[in-house]
């Protein structure tokens, strides 16, 4: 049964899983994963006194930067699949390993997990919480929703990190909870997948092919976004990339957890109240995902996500492009993302 314990456990899991990442994030990032930065001009010289050699050096540096950008390789894509059922324990500080794979690449990486999860035994509603961690994690937050006995749910989550010589592993980690919680009652079935998109590892190439934004990344873990009965943008969850050639495609990946303060769906098998998520590219809707909030007796939790090329990829013309996330509910009542109640993320991947 979902109780206030769920709220506390979710927050604790975020703190436990993400303390390393949070410690290294800026207090109020404007672009959560843009690794490139523009150093201020500290020169005190008069521009009128610049010599021709100075100008030549600047031109040479600009040419070198342009050459480096042009030489950036396309993203490399990898996929890993679990071969056994993974039973989830009840300790957020000792998450079960669903996938742990070394990746033969270095650089910034976006990871997307898809998996089937079920409450295999026990009569008490449990929740699951799964996160994606790559190398040195930049954003690796757990998402989850509730499970009634019996049905299998197909779900997803994303993460962002940097694969390095020190840590080049991609991991999918999870745990379960309830009041009371039965260890092993929740299972992630064999066949869970972890897809990765990895940028060219050179510093000049960072941000050329992958952009990522999330509520936690732009607003922190304390504030909330409240859903309405009309589709509305999630503030700060905007990812941008620029393409160069007419043959290029962009992939828009979205995932969000929506949490009703009081679940309108109380009875397993009779859920009717739903939440809706939409992803957009250049203000046009790309995909719509809707599902019923799983039943519980207290708070509710539902993870919505995009999947597949038909939902996620579009050919684009050269220029700047922007992806965003819209959310809404079909019932009145407080529904939140942020704080204790999960994250909402959108990612752009340039496929060329």
């Amino acid at each position: 049964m979902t109780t206030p314990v769920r709220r506390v456990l979710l927050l604790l899991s975020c703190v436990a899983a993400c303390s390393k990442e949070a410690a290294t994030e800026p207090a109020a990032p404007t672009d959560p994963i843009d690794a490139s930065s523009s150093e201020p001009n500290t020169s005190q010289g008069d521009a009128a006194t610049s010599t021709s050699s100075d100008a030549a050096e600047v031109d040479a540096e600009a040419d070198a930067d342009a050459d480096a950008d042009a030489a950036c390789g396309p993203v490399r894509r990898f996929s890993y699949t679990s071969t056994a059922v993974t039973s989830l324990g009840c300790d957020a500080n000792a998450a079960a390993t669903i996938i742990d794979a070394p990746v033969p690449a270095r650089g910034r990486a976006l990871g997307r997990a898809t998996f089937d999860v079920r409450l295999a035994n026990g009569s008490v509603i449990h929740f699951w919480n799964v996160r994606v961690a790559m190398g040195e994690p930049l954003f690796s937050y757990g998402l989850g929703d509730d499970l009634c006995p019996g049905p299998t749910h197909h779900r997803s989550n994303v993460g962002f990190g940097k694969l390095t010589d020190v840590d080049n592993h991609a991991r999918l980690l999870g745990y379960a909870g309830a009041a009371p919680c039965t260890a092993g009652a929740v299972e992630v079935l064999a066949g869970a997948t972890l897809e990765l998109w990895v940028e060219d590892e050179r510093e000049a190439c960072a941000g050329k092919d992958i952009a990522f934004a999330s509520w936690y990344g732009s607003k922190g873990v304390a504030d909330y976004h409240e859903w309405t009965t009309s589709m509305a943008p999630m503030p700060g969850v905007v990812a941008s990339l620029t393409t160069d050639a007419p043959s290029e495609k962009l992939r828009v990946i979205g995932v969000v957890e929506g949490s009703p303060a009081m679940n309108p769906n109380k009875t397993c098998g009779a859920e009717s109240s739903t939440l809706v998520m939409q992803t957009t590219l250049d203000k046009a809707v790309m995909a719509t995902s809707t599902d019923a909030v799983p039943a519980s007796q207290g708070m509710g939790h539902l993870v919505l996500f995009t999947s597949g090329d038909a939902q996620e990829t579009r050919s684009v013309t050269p220029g700047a492009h922007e992806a965003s996330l819209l959310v809404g509910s079909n019932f009145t009542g407080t529904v939140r993302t942020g704080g204790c109640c999960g994250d909402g993320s959108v990612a752009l991947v340039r496929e060329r």
Side-chain angles (χ1 to χ4, degrees):
M1 179 180 298
T2 303
T3 69
V5 172
R6 157 71 166 164
R7 180 190 296 254
V8 173
L9 283 172
L10 268 177
L11 186 56
L12 286 176
S13 73
C14 180
V15 172
C18 309
S19 58
K20 175 183 176 183
E21 301 92 294
T24 61
E25 293 168 13
T30 56
D31 181 355
I33 63 158
D34 188 353
S36 62
S37 64
S38 204
E39 294 296 330
N41 181 2
T42 57
S43 171
Q44 301 301 311
D46 187 339
T49 64
S50 296
T51 65
S52 58
S53 60
D54 292 334
E57 289 175 4
V58 171
D59 289 343
E61 290 174 0
D63 290 342
D65 290 342
D67 289 342
D69 292 349
C72 292
V75 294
R76 299 173 65 185
R77 188 173 180 179
F78 305 89
S79 183
Y80 304 93
T81 302
S82 69
T83 58
V85 172
T86 303
S87 297
L88 304 185
C90 299
D91 185 354
N93 296 310
T97 300
I98 304 163
I99 294 175
D100 185 348
V103 184
R106 304 292 182 269
R108 301 190 327 158
L110 174 72
R112 186 256 298 280
T114 54
F115 49 90
D116 292 324
V117 60
R118 68 178 181 180
L119 180 58
N121 59 75
S123 58
V124 176
I125 294 173
H126 282 57
F127 70 82
W128 59 269
N129 187 288
V130 167
R131 70 185 183 95
V132 177
M134 273 113 19
E136 298 175 1
L138 300 175
F139 289 88
S140 179
Y141 293 103
L143 296 184
D145 56 28
D146 298 302
L147 292 168
C148 290
T152 296
H153 292 258
H154 186 63
R155 294 294 188 255
S156 184
N157 195 7
V158 299
F160 188 81
K162 186 175 183 180
L163 300 171
T164 68
D165 290 337
V166 174
D167 190 345
N168 69 326
H169 280 240
R171 301 177 179 88
L172 184 60
L173 309 168
Y175 73 96
C181 180
T182 301
V186 175
E187 295 178 341
V188 176
L189 304 187
T193 62
L194 181 52
E195 296 174 276
L196 273 71
W197 292 265
V198 185
E199 281 185 325
D200 189 311
E201 67 180 301
R202 288 171 291 176
E203 192 66 24
C205 299
K208 300 296 182 183
D209 292 284
I210 298 174
F212 179 87
S214 81
W215 176 266
Y216 283 155
S218 63
K219 303 293 184 179
V221 298
D223 291 339
Y224 297 96
H225 173 72
E226 293 199 352
W227 299 32
T228 67
T229 52
S230 298
M231 298 303 294
M234 187 168 286
V237 186
V238 177
S240 302
L241 280 179
T242 299
T243 60
D244 301 321
S247 60
E248 295 182 43
K249 291 184 178 180
L250 288 177
R251 181 181 296 272
V252 181
I253 298 173
V255 63
V256 67
E257 179 179 339
S259 300
M262 182 57 65
N263 195 345
N265 296 327
K266 303 287 186 186
T267 304
C268 291
E271 297 90 344
S272 59
S273 297
T274 63
L275 298 178
V276 183
M277 178 197 78
Q278 291 181 322
T279 53
T280 71
L281 178 62
D282 299 332
K283 303 189 183 302
V285 173
M286 285 276 290
T288 299
S289 175
T290 182
D291 204 350
V293 182
S296 65
Q297 300 302 308
M299 288 184 70
H301 304 276
L302 174 65
V303 174
L304 295 170
F305 56 96
T306 60
S307 64
D309 287 357
Q311 278 197 341
E312 293 181 345
T313 61
R314 294 290 186 276
S315 296
V316 295
T317 57
H321 302 279
E322 184 176 276
S324 64
L325 200 65
L326 310 178
V327 294
S329 70
N330 79 336
F331 58 91
T332 58
T334 301
V335 180
R336 289 173 170 169
T337 294
C340 69
C341 305
D343 200 8
S345 305
V346 67
L348 265 178
V349 181
R350 183 181 176 193
E351 299 184 346
R352 54 192 173 99

